[in-house]
Amino acid sequence: MNSFVALGTALAATATLAALPAPTPQQQAEAAAKAAQAASAAAVEKQQLEASMDRLSQRWRQRAAAQGWQAHPPTPVATATTSAGGSGNAQVPGQGNPHSAPGTPAAGTASAPALPIRSEKLGTAPPSEDVKKPKTPMAR
């Protein structure tokens, strides 16, 4: 019994020794500068991507007009903004999760209560009509 107590104490002691020291003010400043540089580089890349997409869209719209194709006006896209303390996964207002079912409202919007999940796998829905029926033993 004493060996277990000694082992537990030894493990606790090594866990406290393995903790990293707090970063120095110089390290914190370097990390902040690095983060700011990465953010500015990302902003530049985003502007370049948007400009490239606009050029490509304009080229295809001009081609469509020249060939007599019907072209609809471009869809306006609102910019996503994050609130202070947000997780960074802000979505455009009025749009739900892109991986959710079509017509799913965005998080935080008032909507009807969620429908219960119906799943054949979970046993909460009847099997599909096209599912093979299990073979029954043949009567002899």
Side-chain angles (χ1 to χ4, degrees):
M1 181 77 168
N2 286 339
S3 63
F4 290 117
V5 173
L7 179 62
T9 307
L11 288 175
T14 42
T16 57
L17 292 177
L20 295 174
T24 64
Q26 180 183 4
Q27 290 173 330
Q28 290 175 346
E30 290 173 357
K34 191 174 184 179
Q37 184 181 12
S40 66
V44 168
E45 289 177 4
K46 181 178 178 183
Q47 289 174 349
Q48 291 173 346
L49 176 63
E50 288 175 353
S52 173
M53 291 188 314
D54 289 342
R55 284 191 307 270
L56 185 64
S57 174
Q58 185 63 29
R59 187 178 87 201
W60 283 101
R61 289 187 180 285
Q62 288 173 352
R63 180 178 174 200
Q67 295 184 358
W69 299 341
Q70 180 181 8
H72 300 284
T75 306
V77 178
T79 58
T81 58
T82 58
S83 61
S87 63
N89 322 353
Q91 294 182 354
V92 176
Q95 291 183 350
N97 182 349
H99 302 290
S100 64
T104 304
T109 59
S111 64
L115 297 174
I117 296 175
R118 294 177 46 98
S119 167
E120 291 178 41
K121 187 174 183 179
L122 296 176
T124 57
S128 300
E129 296 297 322
D130 60 344
V131 174
K132 288 184 179 180
K133 305 293 183 214
K135 294 184 179 181
T136 57
M138 297 178 64
R140 290 188 182 189

